[in-house]
Amino acid sequence: MGDDRQMKEQRVFDKIIEVKNVTKIFDDTTVIDDLNLSIRRGQFVTLLGPSGCGKTTLLRMIAGFMAPTSGNIYIEGQDVTAMPPYKRPVNTVFQKYALFPHLNVFNNVAYGLKLKKIPSGEKRTKNGVTVDVTRKFTKAEIAEKVNRALKLVGLDDYGHRDVNSLSGGQQQRVAIARALVCEPKVLLLDEPLGALDLKMRKEMQIELMKMHRELGITFIYVTHDQEEALTMSDVVVVLNDGLIQQIGTPKQVYDEPANAFVADFIGESNVISGTMIKDFCVKFLDTEFVCEDKGFAKNEQVDLVVRPEDIKLYPENSDKGQLAGQVLSTVFKGTWYEMEIEANGYEFTVQSTTEAKVGQKVRLAIEPNGIHIMKKLRTVNEFIGEVTGENWVDFCGGSFEINTFVDGVALEKGTSVKVYVPFDAVELTDDEDDGEIGGNVTRSLYKGNYYQVQIYTDTDEDFYIDTTDEWDNDDRVGIKLNKDKIRLEVIAEDESDEA
C-alpha cells in the first residue's frame, strides 16, 4: 500500500511544471489564451513558433518575470503564480547574455552563489518558534562550484578572463554556466543562440544537448528556428496566436502535423486542400489517391500535407505516378536537388537526389504513407456579437447592417449572437479606408489554386479568407464583408455566461 502511494506521488511530481488555464493580456491583446501545459522532470522541451506567438511570454511567466492575467503556474505541485523569480527553483539564460562587464568570467559565474543562502544544519528558537539557520557559501565552496560549471561548458581555464575579450559563443557559455552553478531544477533558455553565427549555433546545439544529458535537469527552450527544435528536443510544443497547436516528439510534429499551420511551419511542405472520399481514399487536384488515414466523415473537406522528399519522379512516358507535371525551377542544395514542379495547377516543392531540368515533363508519384490528412483549422469565421437594433449587429469593433431575423423571428436589442462569416464573404482591400475593419496579414498559406490568408484585426480577432491574391505578412489591409452571406445564431444563456 505504501509503495502504491509512493509511486502515485512520484508520478505527480514527475510533472515538474504545470501551466493551468493561463491567459496573458497586454493592452486588450490576448498573447496567451487559456493555455494548459505539463512538463515532465528531466525533459528537453522546446517552445516553437513564429515571432509574436507567445512563447517568450509563457517562458517569462514560468520564470516569474511577469504574472498571468488569469490562471496558475505550479512547480513540483506548488503554486508559484505569485512567487517572485528569486524564490523559484529555476534560472534563465537570455539571448542577450546580460553579463557584468566589470567582472571577470569567474566572478560573473559566482555572482549568484555569493548572494544565495543555504541551510546550515542548525536550528534556532525565537519567541517559541524554531527556524532553520541559513548561511552563505564559503569561498572554497564557491570556487569548487564555479570551476565545475566552467568545466561543464568547456571554459575550464577562462576564469580570469575579461568577459569583453570573449567571442559571442564563449560569452553565451559563461551565461549558461552562471545559470547552472546555482543548481536549478529547471533551466529556461530564451533563444540563447540567436545572436551566434550558423557554425557556432550548431556547435552550441550539440553542447546544450550534451549538458542536458549530463545534468539530467529540465530544459525549457524557446526558439523560432524549426531545425533547432527538431535537432535538440525531447518534446516540441508548437505555438501560434497564444494557443498550443501541437505537442509531440520532433518526429511526430514533422511526420504527423496536427493541422495546416504546423505542417507549413515545420519543414518544407506541400499543403493542399482535398476531400476525404472514404477511409483510405482522398481526392485532391482532381485526382484520387490511396492514403493511410481513416475516421473522417464521407466527403469531409480536409487539409493534407505531402513532404517534398516523399514525392518520386518518373519520366514523362512512364506508367508510374498519379500526376503529370513540368519542372519550373531547380536548385542544387548539396545532397539533393530542390525543384518546383507544376502539376494540375499546383506548384509542388520536390526534393530528389536526381535532377530534372527546367522545362522537362515528368510524372509525380505519391505513396499512401507520403500523404498525411489533417482536420481543417477552421471552415468559417465565428465571432461573438450583440444585436443593437433592427437589422444591426455589433461585432469585431464595428456595427453592421445584417438581417436580424432568425427562424422567422426578429431578435431583440441586446441579444447575444454568434456571427458566422464564411470565407467567401470576406474581401480584402489594400487601402484600409476602403474596408469596414482594419487589420494586418499574419499568415498566407499557399494551397494550390488559392491562398488562405489570416488577418489579425485591431480588436484582437482573426479573420480567414480564401483568395487567389497573394498577400505578404504584415500587409495592412481593409476588410469588407458581404452581409447577405453572414448567418446569426442566438447564444443560449449558459453559453453567454461562459463567454
Side-chain angles (χ1 to χ4, degrees), residues 121-339:
E122 299 177 6
K123 294 185 181 295
R124 178 182 301 155
T125 302
K126 186 176 181 180
N127 298 328
V129 179
T130 301
V131 296
D132 291 321
V133 177
T134 60
R135 67 174 180 86
K136 290 190 174 183
F137 286 111
T138 65
K139 286 185 177 181
E141 288 172 330
I142 291 173
E144 180 189 353
K145 289 179 179 294
V146 170
N147 289 330
R148 187 167 68 238
L150 288 175
K151 183 176 182 180
L152 185 65
V153 299
L155 295 175
D156 313 44
D157 301 321
Y158 282 71
H160 65 284
R161 293 276 294 272
D162 184 338
V163 292
N164 295 315
S165 70
L166 304 181
S167 68
Q170 289 169 336
Q171 289 186 23
Q172 188 58 280
R173 288 169 189 249
V174 174
I176 293 169
R178 185 176 62 183
L180 292 174
V181 76
C182 291
E183 300 172 355
K185 293 180 179 178
V186 181
L187 184 65
L188 308 175
L189 302 111
D190 187 7
E191 303 205 49
L193 311 184
L196 305 180
D197 62 53
L198 180 62
K199 186 172 184 295
M200 180 61 71
R201 195 158 66 239
K202 290 186 177 297
E203 289 176 359
M204 282 302 300
Q205 288 174 14
I206 295 169
E207 289 298 323
L208 282 172
M209 292 164 64
K210 181 182 174 185
M211 287 179 211
H212 177 252
R213 286 195 303 270
E214 291 180 0
L215 292 166
I217 65 175
T218 307
F219 277 33
I220 304 178
Y221 192 95
V222 163
T223 185
H224 61 270
D225 187 321
Q226 52 184 282
E227 182 185 350
E228 210 164 74
L230 297 177
T231 299
M232 301 169 66
S233 316
D234 299 323
V235 175
V236 178
V237 180
V238 185
L239 288 150
N240 189 43
D241 292 337
L243 298 168
I244 293 176
Q245 303 296 317
Q246 186 172 1
I247 301 175
T249 65
K251 183 172 174 56
Q252 285 171 337
V253 297
Y254 184 83
D255 289 341
E256 301 173 25
N259 53 48
F261 171 80
V262 178
D264 183 54
F265 190 74
I266 305 286
E268 294 285 344
S269 308
N270 298 291
V271 181
I272 312 167
S273 286
T275 303
M276 202 69 188
I277 303 299
K278 58 184 179 180
D279 285 350
F280 311 116
C281 179
V282 64
K283 184 176 182 179
F284 60 94
L285 302 181
D286 299 321
T287 307
E288 289 190 10
F289 293 79
V290 177
C291 63
E292 295 186 343
D293 296 88
K294 63 178 182 177
F296 293 85
K298 186 177 180 180
N299 294 324
E300 179 178 348
Q301 296 301 301
V302 294
D303 286 324
L304 58 101
V305 60
V306 180
R307 296 293 185 186
E309 65 270 22
D310 289 331
I311 301 174
K312 291 184 171 57
L313 297 184
Y314 293 97
E316 176 188 10
N317 57 3
S318 173
D319 59 356
K320 296 181 179 180
Q322 300 99 328
L323 299 170
Q326 184 169 5
V327 179
L328 303 179
S329 67
T330 177
V331 178
F332 182 56
K333 292 283 189 173
T335 56
W336 73 84
Y337 294 91
E338 185 166 285
M339 294 160 279

Side-chain angles (χ1 to χ4, degrees), residues 434-488:
D434 287 342
E436 297 157 310
I437 302 171
N440 291 82
V441 173
T442 56
R443 188 166 66 98
S444 181
L445 178 60
Y446 174 64
K447 288 194 172 183
N449 56 359
Y450 71 93
Y451 294 87
Q452 187 169 94
V453 180
Q454 179 182 358
I455 305 99
Y456 183 68
T457 72
D458 299 335
T459 54
D460 196 20
E461 303 279 3
D462 284 309
F463 271 91
Y464 284 74
I465 175 176
D466 292 338
T467 174
T468 55
D469 297 324
E470 184 175 3
W471 296 84
D472 294 327
N473 284 356
D474 294 326
D475 275 353
R476 185 70 185 171
V477 295
I479 299 172
K480 287 183 176 180
L481 301 179
N482 183 337
K483 317 301 188 306
D484 295 335
K485 294 184 177 182
I486 295 176
R487 182 171 63 87
L488 303 181

